[in-house]
Amino acid sequence: MANPSLLILPGDGIGPEVMAQVRRVIDWFGANKDLVFDVSEDLVGGAAYDKHGTPLHDDTMAKAQEVDAVLLGAVGGPKYDDLDFAVKPERGLLRLRKEMDLFSNLRPAQCFDALADFSSLKKDVVAGLDIMIVRELTSGVYFGEPRGIHKEGNERVGVNTQRYTESEIARVARSAFELAKRRGNKVCSMEKANVMESGILWRDVVQEIHDAEYPEVELSHMYADNGAMQLVRAPKQFDVIVTDNLFGDVLSDCAAMLTGSLGMLPSASLGLPMGNGRPKALYEPVHGSAPDITGQGKANPIACILSFAMALRYSFDEGANADLLEGAVQKVLADGVRTADLMGPEGGTPVSTGEMGDAILAALDAA
Ligand code: IPM
Ligand code: MG
């Protein structure tokens, strides 16, 4: 059988730096676990704009559709702030999500024991935290029509549209229930059914899918504003949270910060199964391109490395190897190896991006 294929899109800012460490991890699995990937690399975001005048070249889009999984670093940076909306780096990422139809975005927020002190919340509120946010990623206000800025009389009006079809809600709900079955068997669905019709429909459809197909999973509903409050009050009450595109964007950043560092969190964006049974998939760290530390060797590569672990788990059915990689990361953190973003009040000397990579490879060797 042919090797599984990976398209790597390092992107902008710290993207290339953290991705370089992922390449080393991929090579480690090839050399030590007989898990060889056909890896190709291409441009996305500002890097693609600089070369092609577009944040995602059509050839790159076509390649992304063909491979077994895409691994993305980060997009964006101040250099591109004044670009026309249509060619902003973020549009490259949004096009990938939309055209690959990656409707289910998995954003785990897990608190590593060694880092429980780093959260802005009290240690006992976050220690052992393990929640999964499932964010709808291809519809809602991000893509709804009409949209735009137009003139009414002598002032401008900005319009975006929140729009969801039943089938869009149903498929992401199923994906959340399936995940819950393999975890704590609980789903909390979040919307604003008190003010939005699309929220009423969301709540109805999630309930219908539950009753018809997943009655054994515990389901609750919450208004998204209360959800945000509960996430910082008592986050351990949650197992899987399912929500729309915009609420998911906000709530997942909130959940991410509970864990102490945005530099730690991976994500998976999954679509429908392809001919080979694997889902269309894109994996990326939750953090952005971090222009303030770009090129200084300070970036934490863990979120990107853990994104590759998610690829092993969700695209390649390599759960044991995903466990191995996640275990290596945990070991390194328990040993006190820290990039600058993970330095606590007690201080110490941070390691560089490459040294964090070294430590993780050494932990893999030792495992
Ligand atoms: C995210 C980001 C993106 C989003 C941006 C970069 C377009 O914030 O992945 O959460 O809003 O979806
Ligand atoms: Mg976001």
Side-chain angles (χ1 to χ4, degrees):
M1 234 170 70
N3 295 329
S5 54
L6 273 176
L7 172 63
I8 293 194
L9 303 173
D12 306 323
I14 60 169
E17 296 165 49
V18 295
M19 200 58 92
Q21 302 310 312
V22 178
R23 290 297 291 255
R24 299 174 69 198
V25 170
I26 293 171
D27 291 344
W28 187 92
F29 278 94
N32 294 281
K33 295 285 163 187
D34 216 18
L35 197 58
V36 181
F37 291 92
D38 286 338
V39 181
S40 54
E41 199 167 310
D42 211 332
L43 303 172
V44 70
Y49 177 80
D50 287 341
K51 176 132 188 249
H52 303 298
T54 162
L56 189 72
H57 195 278
D58 288 344
D59 292 348
T60 316
M61 186 66 243
K63 250 190 262 174
Q65 297 283 19
E66 274 159 25
V67 292
D68 291 314
V70 179
L71 218 55
L72 185 138
V75 294
K79 186 179 156 194
Y80 309 103
D81 278 352
D82 296 327
L83 282 185
D84 210 42
F85 190 67
V87 290
K88 273 197 190 300
E90 290 78 7
R91 304 306 303 173
L93 176 57
L94 293 172
R95 181 175 174 202
L96 282 163
R97 290 175 178 172
K98 187 68 180 173
E99 291 192 21
M100 292 171 76
D101 200 15
L102 305 171
F103 60 87
S104 178
N105 180 216
L106 279 41
R107 297 191 166 189
Q110 231 177 334
C111 185
F112 290 86
D113 284 346
L115 299 179
D117 280 324
F118 286 75
S119 173
S120 46
L121 299 190
K122 294 194 190 77
K123 184 170 179 167
D124 59 304
V125 176
V126 295
L129 180 74
D130 179 9
I131 60 188
M132 177 72 87
I133 298 198
V134 179
R135 166 188 176 191
E136 199 291 324
L137 201 61
T138 50
S139 184
V141 78
Y142 272 60
F143 298 99
E145 300 281 347
R147 65 186 297 160
I149 301 176
H150 65 270
K151 209 71 192 252
E152 279 181 25
N154 48 18
E155 67 172 350
R156 288 170 303 161
V157 179
V159 176
N160 288 91
T161 301
Q162 167 81 333
R163 180 180 191 276
Y164 272 107
T165 64
E166 284 188 273
S167 52
E168 286 169 343
I169 301 168
R171 64 184 188 171
V172 73
R174 283 193 186 96
S175 142
F177 288 125
E178 287 295 336
L179 268 169
K181 288 206 304 195
R182 288 187 263 140
R183 298 172 39 100
N185 210 38
K186 273 198 322 197
V187 171
C188 181
S189 170
M190 296 187 186
E191 28 53 21
K192 286 282 289 176
N194 50 347
V195 286
M196 297 165 76
E197 284 77 3
S198 60
I200 296 175
L201 185 70
W202 183 280
R203 186 176 285 224
D204 281 355
V205 173
V206 172
Q207 188 68 51
E208 285 163 17
I209 296 292
H210 170 268
D211 296 350
E213 299 171 32
Y214 301 93
E216 72 284 11
V217 179
E218 194 184 312
L219 171 65
S220 59
H221 303 274
M222 210 178 257
Y223 298 139
D225 53 344
N226 182 27
M229 200 243 299
Q230 296 298 335
L231 267 175
V232 289
R233 190 186 73 83
K236 282 189 257 181
Q237 68 185 286
F238 298 114
D239 175 28
V240 174
I241 292 171
V242 63
T243 189
D244 76 18
N245 205 343
L246 184 60
F247 292 139
D249 182 44
V250 176
L251 293 169
S252 62
D253 266 22
C254 177
M257 209 51 224
L258 299 173
T259 67
S261 170
L262 214 51
M264 301 290 301
L265 294 178
S267 77
S269 303
L270 307 177
L272 296 169
M274 301 183 281
N276 60 12
R278 294 178 174 134
K280 275 266 158 78
L282 179 145
Y283 300 87
E284 57 177 319
V286 170
H287 64 66
S289 58
D292 52 320
I293 58 163
T294 296
Q296 301 171 30
K298 283 187 186 166
N300 182 351
I302 290 180
C304 204
I305 288 173
L306 290 176
S307 299
F308 175 64
M310 287 189 92
L312 290 174
R313 192 180 303 284
Y314 293 105
S315 280
F316 303 114
D317 226 357
E318 290 284 347
N321 280 320
D323 288 345
L324 184 75
L325 181 51
E326 287 163 1
V329 168
Q330 257 167 44
K331 163 85 171 45
V332 162
L333 293 171
D335 288 348
V337 183
R338 302 274 187 269
T339 41
D341 56 308
L342 303 178
M343 297 311 297
E346 73 277 12
T349 314
V351 300
S352 67
T353 310
E355 287 164 341
M356 181 57 93
D358 294 343
I360 291 169
L361 291 178
L364 281 171
D365 281 333

